[in-house]
Amino acid sequence: MEKIIDNSPELFSNVLKSPQISALYNDIEELTELLAIYFKQGIEKGEYCVWFFPDELAAERAKDELKKSGVDVEHCILSSQLEFQSSEKLPKNITLLKSAIKELAEKGSEKAFSGGFAGFRTNFDLKNSGISIKPYLETCKKTSEMLSFENSKNLTFLCTLPLDELSGSTLLELMEEKSFFIKRKGKWKYLGQLEGQMELENVLLKAKRDAEAANRVKNGLIMNISHEIRTPLNSVIGFSDLLLEGAFGSLNTRQSKYVNNILLSGKNLLEIIDNLLDISRLEAGEITLNYEEIDIANLIKEVRMSLLSPASNKKIVVELKVDTSIENIRADRTKLRQILYNLISNAIKFTPEKGKVTVSASKKEGRLEIKVLDTGTGLLKEYYEKMFLPFIQADPSAVLGYGGAGLGLFIVKSFIDLHGGKIHVDSKVGKGSTFTFTLPIDSKESSPSGGV
């Protein structure tokens, strides 16, 4: 049953049956208001409270909010009942975070027990926590249940999630929870399972309509700006080529180096613009496939030749292993070439000097299977699905210094999906990655669905 609860410290009183609670919020002001109510209740119940905040400004805002609600913040801090800690200290890696949550809970319950407090409560903001919230919620729940039983103390974790950053799959996971809080029409609501599903469905429908309207505006803007940028950019690339060829006289070594840098930068920018246009067309459903007969061995060799320059600059060997028994396949040549180009160029980018990239193609269970294997940096399993999202670098720490707009793999997956194929990745940190995708050998001229 849905309960509409006034903004008061009693917000959680009638529903606090689980040691782990979830809440959705729209902005930092809304989050601060919710946490002030949550921690005020804990202080009044005589519990030990640890409030995690993102930055100093948020901490000051939190203290002001508590003071407005009548809490003597300075006294609570001096008596060690209330502590403010930066969330930057918490690890982002799910495995490390689970350990940190357990350690924090153990220390909190121990302090609550030794200090004579009635219990312990804290909060975790699951912003940018990845595509799944289940591991976090389950860790909080199991840890608090175990420590509550061992110490006969109440332990409560409030997990907050920013509504505008949640994917559809994350919202569906949240719908499986027994309860959560959300502010609607100026009041905080506690939603049970059935009501929570109905409320989230309404939220999803509104979010879908808003996203569609925003996408239409964004796509129009991208296409207009891209057209305006491409015209002068093509001139920059064209004149750079002419200068390097000596059409206007010979260049010395330093001049050639600088003109070549201009040329490379122009081509990189043009590639980003083309990717943005592809994404706009994909989101608008305007991309179709033009099927034709393709000699896959020749296409792979062609892509390899186009990437010999960046590979040779890093002294990377690009090896081909193509099964000669593979017959021609029916596919969109331009898009299949882009799939191969993006995967192989990514492999070269993230492989250190004197490394190796291997591209293999074979027939497997009536489908074409292509693997792009590198000896590069690799990445953790938790980032596998995230890497196929647009404008997102899978692991910021791993890609630092490599650049890129985070568009290539999203386009790869989208084009593979359009062909009715599938892609997956296998990777180990420090040992490299293998991207494997499959396509139907005899495709029909349609747009079948596919996925990872």
Side-chain angles (χ1 to χ4, degrees):
M1 179 177 179
E2 179 180 297
K3 301 176 182 179
I4 299 179
I5 307 169
D6 291 332
N7 296 342
S8 71
E10 299 305 312
L11 176 64
F12 301 95
S13 297
N14 299 323
V15 296
L16 195 53
K17 297 176 182 179
S18 170
Q20 184 277 310
I21 318 166
S22 303
L24 300 175
Y25 65 91
N26 281 301
D27 51 40
I28 190 64
E29 287 76 18
E30 200 168 278
L31 174 62
T32 305
E33 178 189 58
L34 176 71
L35 292 177
I37 297 169
Y38 172 69
F39 283 110
K40 180 181 180 182
Q41 183 197 61
I43 290 168
E44 293 180 342
K45 287 180 176 291
E47 296 177 349
Y48 167 50
C49 303
V50 177
W51 184 333
F52 280 95
F53 59 88
D55 52 49
E56 290 298 330
L57 182 62
E60 292 304 314
R61 187 186 290 116
K63 292 175 184 178
D64 290 341
E65 196 71 23
L66 278 176
K67 288 176 182 177
K68 288 177 185 177
S69 66
V71 174
D72 188 344
V73 176
E74 284 75 16
H75 173 75
C76 292
I77 293 174
L78 286 173
S79 64
S80 298
Q81 185 184 6
L82 173 64
E83 291 185 20
F84 289 90
Q85 293 188 22
S86 172
S87 57
E88 293 178 354
K89 297 178 181 178
L90 295 173
K92 303 303 180 186
N93 178 281
I94 179 61
T95 305
L96 297 177
L97 181 59
K98 287 165 74 173
S99 300
I101 289 172
K102 187 174 185 298
E103 182 181 354
L104 176 66
E106 289 172 346
K107 288 182 178 178
S109 60
E110 182 181 341
K111 186 164 184 177
F113 182 76
S114 62
F117 295 108
F120 168 61
R121 68 173 59 198
T122 188
N123 68 294
F124 294 104
D125 191 32
L126 301 187
K127 184 176 182 179
N128 300 322
S129 57
I131 60 170
S132 177
I133 59 171
K134 279 187 177 180
Y136 298 87
L137 301 183
E138 289 173 359
T139 296
C140 290
K141 184 176 181 180
K142 289 177 182 178
T143 302
S144 55
E145 284 178 344
M146 178 189 69
L147 293 171
S148 294
F149 176 77
E150 290 177 355
N151 299 314
S152 299
K153 296 284 183 181
N154 293 323
L155 273 79
T156 310
F157 293 85
L158 174 59
C159 296
T160 55
L161 303 100
L163 186 58
D164 62 343
E165 292 188 14
L166 299 186
S167 64
S169 59
T170 306
L171 283 169
L172 290 173
E173 285 182 357
L174 193 62
M175 287 168 67
E176 296 174 3
E177 294 294 302
K178 291 183 178 179
S179 63
F180 64 92
F181 290 89
I182 188 169
K183 192 172 186 180
R184 307 296 289 167
K185 298 180 180 178
K187 291 183 179 291
W188 285 101
K189 295 181 182 180
Y190 162 66
L191 301 172
Q193 190 172 18
L194 179 60
E195 291 77 14
Q197 289 178 350
M198 294 173 62
E199 182 73 16
L200 275 176
E201 285 173 5
N202 291 333
V203 171
L204 282 169
L205 285 173
K206 182 180 184 302
K208 182 175 182 292
R209 288 194 294 268
D210 292 346
E212 287 174 348
N215 267 339
R216 285 194 293 271
V217 174
K218 180 197 70 178
N219 290 339
L221 182 64
I222 287 175
M223 288 184 181
N224 287 334
I225 291 178
S226 297
H227 174 75
E228 295 300 322
I229 293 175
R230 284 177 67 94
T231 302
L233 187 58
N234 282 327
S235 295
V236 170
I237 293 171
F239 282 116
S240 298
D241 265 329
L242 289 173
L243 286 169
L244 285 175
E245 290 172 2
F248 306 108
S250 60
L251 303 177
N252 60 40
T253 303
R254 179 177 291 184
Q255 290 170 334
S256 296
K257 178 183 176 182
Y258 292 152
V259 172
N260 188 58
N261 287 340
I262 293 171
L263 179 61
L264 290 176
S265 297
K267 287 182 176 179
N268 287 337
L269 182 55
L270 188 60
E271 183 180 338
I272 291 172
I273 292 171
D274 288 339
N275 284 339
L276 284 171
L277 287 171
D278 281 337
I279 288 176
S280 295
R281 294 187 186 110
L282 282 165
E283 290 181 345
E286 295 176 358
I287 287 189
T288 57
L289 300 180
N290 299 310
Y291 284 92
E292 60 181 287
E293 292 287 326
I294 298 172
D295 183 330
I296 194 66
N298 284 339
L299 182 60
I300 293 174
K301 289 176 184 177
E302 177 187 320
V303 173
R304 177 179 177 270
M305 285 296 297
S306 68
L307 289 167
L308 278 181
S309 178
S312 60
N313 288 340
K314 296 176 69 176
K315 299 179 181 177
I316 291 173
V317 175
V318 180
E319 183 181 13
L320 304 185
K321 294 182 178 179
V322 180
D323 189 338
T324 55
S325 66
I326 297 177
E327 62 267 33
N328 289 356
I329 70 164
R330 282 183 55 77
D332 185 307
R333 181 182 180 84
T334 302
K335 292 174 181 57
L336 182 52
R337 187 187 189 283
Q338 193 166 352
I339 291 168
L340 291 166
Y341 182 91
N342 286 357
L343 289 177
I344 298 171
S345 62
N346 253 19
I348 294 170
K349 180 194 295 186
F350 294 110
T351 297
E353 288 193 3
K354 299 181 181 179
K356 185 177 181 180
V357 173
T358 304
V359 184
S360 64
S362 61
K363 186 176 179 181
K364 188 174 181 180
E365 298 177 357
R367 297 171 73 87
L368 172 68
E369 180 181 84
I370 295 180
K371 293 186 177 185
V372 179
L373 182 150
D374 64 61
T375 56
T377 55
L379 71 160
L380 296 169
K381 191 172 183 179
E382 66 193 82
Y383 296 117
Y384 284 9
E385 291 188 42
K386 189 177 179 181
M387 74 173 70
F388 292 107
L389 298 175
F391 305 104
I392 293 178
Q393 296 286 13
D395 179 1
S397 63
V399 300
L400 191 63
Y402 290 99
L407 304 174
L409 290 178
F410 171 73
I411 292 172
V412 164
K413 183 183 181 302
S414 298
F415 286 174
I416 290 172
D417 286 352
L418 283 172
H419 279 87
K422 295 183 179 181
I423 182 170
H424 69 270
V425 60
D426 183 29
S427 183
K428 291 183 180 179
V429 175
K431 294 188 177 180
S433 304
T434 301
F435 285 83
T436 305
F437 72 93
T438 60
L439 297 177
I441 287 180
D442 186 19
S443 299
K444 303 298 181 184
E445 196 156 341
S446 59
S447 296
S449 62
V452 174

